[in-house]
Amino acid sequence: MTKKGFIFDLDGVIVDTAKYHFLAWRKLAKGVGVDFTEIQNEQLKGVSRQKSLEKILEWGNKTLPEEDFNRLMALKNEDYLTHVENMKEDEILPDVPKVLNYLISKEQPLALGSASKNAHTILDKVNLLEKFNAIVDGNGVKIGKPNPEVFLNAAKLLTVNPKDCIVFEDAVAGVKAANAANMISIGIGEQSVLNEADYVFSDFTEISLEFLDDIMSNKITKQNNH
Ligand code: G6P
Ligand code: MG
């Protein structure tokens, strides 16, 4: 079996925090007179806190002085963290531990590749911190997804060639980043949204151990040429 690098996004892949981001952003946006839909929210997934607020203000045709902008970012995070505070292991998405443990049993290195600055806190809350050989989060990346930096940094830390890495992502921006890094992109979510991914599964319960074996034995390869 070849040594591969398995890289997991956090929000919406390992834990269902995507819904907390949405709730916190929508509440804050309403406060400044901007409303946005769940469809628009897809564009916020995988995108940094700062870029998310820029997009929301753009949708509402608003501009804010830097001080207010920074205050809103802090407020959003405060609100978001009230949800995170109560998180426990039961918020790990179905079959994620099964997949992580199987890959670990096959001695495959695992990394986290997330835009979130709260990644460490969340992994700690749900007790998954020690499953990962490397963690690349929003504190260690200069250019966010769809730029491949986050995943290339993860590959480097795992000492695995990017072409031997596999990325699990729920965000359009994250799938694009994985493709730009020339890694196998596995979308977790809806095919119609994540159509640029090499493979799409609605969640980890759909991913069989045989599929993981096929990745490790090079039977599953990159599909598209994005
Ligand atoms: C992830 C989420 C985004 C979020 C970003 C930053 O990529 O999908 O919705 O904006 O992380 O998260 P943070 O926890 O640092 O605000
Ligand atoms: Mg995500």
Side-chain angles (χ1 to χ4, degrees):
M1 252 177 215
T2 326
K3 179 177 134 178
K4 300 284 181 186
F6 288 87
I7 307 175
F8 295 80
D9 173 51
L10 175 68
D11 298 302
V13 168
I14 290 179
V15 282
D16 196 10
T17 39
K19 67 179 180 216
Y20 299 146
H21 280 294
F22 178 56
L23 288 175
W25 276 131
R26 208 175 45 177
K27 185 167 152 191
L28 178 129
K30 274 200 179 131
V32 290
V34 183
D35 202 8
F36 65 93
T37 62
E38 270 191 73
I39 292 167
Q40 280 171 302
N41 185 57
E42 288 300 327
Q43 294 178 44
L44 302 182
K45 289 185 180 173
V47 172
S48 74
R49 205 178 303 165
Q50 180 175 338
K51 276 260 152 29
S52 300
L53 184 53
E54 283 170 9
K55 271 181 190 280
I56 290 168
L57 293 175
E58 217 177 280
W59 292 335
N61 262 322
K62 305 247 176 217
T63 47
L64 288 179
E66 198 182 327
E67 224 180 84
D68 294 351
F69 186 97
N70 291 338
R71 193 176 44 84
L72 286 190
M73 276 209 300
L75 277 178
K76 184 270 173 176
N77 200 46
E78 251 174 52
D79 188 33
Y80 175 65
L81 286 176
T82 61
H83 297 286
V84 167
E85 226 163 75
N86 302 318
M87 284 181 77
K88 295 204 183 61
E89 284 174 38
D90 61 1
E91 290 203 46
I92 299 171
L93 286 163
D95 276 2
V96 168
K98 184 188 89 178
V99 169
L100 297 180
N101 290 334
Y102 185 67
L103 294 172
I104 291 169
S105 78
K106 298 287 172 191
E107 296 179 0
Q108 300 294 307
L110 311 184
L112 190 88
S114 165
S116 174
K117 293 186 173 170
N118 298 303
H120 216 273
T121 311
I122 293 170
L123 283 181
D124 194 28
K125 286 260 169 219
V126 299
N127 226 351
L128 285 179
L129 211 42
E130 70 288 352
K131 302 270 184 211
F132 294 92
N133 304 89
I135 291 179
V136 183
D137 64 15
N139 300 298
V141 172
K142 282 190 218 83
I143 320 168
K145 302 168 189 176
N147 186 285
E149 185 187 359
V150 56
F151 297 138
L152 292 174
N153 285 356
K156 207 174 271 173
L157 287 172
L158 296 180
T159 62
V160 177
N161 198 310
K163 70 169 180 36
D164 289 319
C165 287
I166 300 90
V167 172
F168 296 89
E169 257 295 347
D170 71 315
V172 175
V175 166
K176 283 183 194 288
N179 289 335
N182 199 25
M183 298 174 176
I184 295 179
S185 52
I186 301 186
I188 302 293
E190 284 178 40
Q191 172 70 46
S192 58
V193 176
L194 303 172
N195 55 8
E196 289 182 41
D198 294 314
Y199 303 88
V200 179
F201 298 95
S202 54
D203 58 39
F204 280 84
T205 66
E206 304 279 309
I207 300 181
S208 68
L209 300 183
E210 289 72 32
F211 179 78
L212 299 174
D213 286 339
D214 286 349
I215 292 176
M216 290 182 268
S217 56
N218 294 318
K219 280 193 204 134
I220 294 279
T221 52
K222 191 149 184 64
Q223 290 239 304
N224 304 318
N225 222 353
H226 300 291

